[in-house]
Amino acid sequence: ELGNHSFRHVKFAAMSAAQQWSEIMQTNQLLQRHDGRSVRWFRPPQGTLTPRMLLRLMLGKQPIAMWSYDSLDYQRRGVDAIVQRFQAKPVNDGDVVLLHDDDGETIAALEQLLALWRGQGYRFVALSEIP
């Protein structure tokens, strides 16, 4: 499932509400060319949303996706550090895990974690499949 994470992935806190909205709409329009959907889940860069932008998203019927578990993979401490974080603090049923797909370490860690989680009976669904 394609989601919206803004067009340029800049810090929303440094942008006006109009600029933020433009980033969201520009990305939705681009992705619509690929899947025909005009609206999709949006996760703001760094998880930053002002009350004003939150209201605008709600009024625009733009669904918001946040996470409940931060993998800290962006710290780039290696595959073992990512896996150990999940072993020290296991996920809970229903968690939305924040991971980044721009690093081989995260991909390698995720291969291990997915096998572990499947073995524990977890299943994985797209956000749009959650009731």
Side-chain angles (χ1 to χ4, degrees):
E1 178 172 6
L2 289 173
N4 184 334
H5 192 44
S6 80
F7 196 77
R8 296 176 295 141
H9 197 269
V10 294
K11 291 186 178 184
F12 266 36
M15 301 170 68
S16 71
Q19 291 170 316
Q20 292 175 23
W21 188 250
S22 175
E23 287 272 321
I24 296 165
M25 292 298 100
Q26 188 175 2
T27 303
N28 277 348
Q29 290 166 3
L30 173 70
L31 294 175
Q32 183 177 18
R33 288 185 238 151
H34 297 280
D35 67 8
R37 294 177 40 225
S38 60
V39 176
R40 65 200 66 256
W41 290 94
F42 170 69
R43 184 175 75 76
Q46 296 85 38
T48 302
L49 275 179
T50 64
R52 184 177 184 181
M53 182 50 59
L54 179 60
L55 179 61
R56 186 159 192 184
L57 290 165
M58 291 170 57
L59 292 174
K61 299 189 184 333
Q62 175 68 56
I64 304 163
M66 298 301 272
W67 62 90
S68 57
Y69 191 114
D70 187 350
S71 70
L72 304 177
D73 64 336
Y74 48 84
Q75 293 179 347
R76 307 267 199 257
R77 294 184 358 213
V79 174
D80 291 339
I82 296 169
V83 172
Q84 287 171 6
R85 173 159 172 74
F86 286 97
Q87 290 172 333
K89 182 183 176 234
V91 295
N92 294 305
D93 189 31
D95 271 339
V96 175
V97 178
L98 174 65
L99 291 161
H100 298 80
D101 64 357
D102 61 348
D103 181 353
E105 292 176 352
T106 299
I107 304 301
L110 189 56
E111 288 175 0
Q112 293 179 40
L113 292 166
L114 287 173
L116 173 71
W117 293 333
R118 282 188 182 109
Q120 293 172 344
Y122 285 103
R123 64 184 188 89
F124 310 96
V125 298
L127 287 173
S128 62
E129 296 177 57
I130 297 173

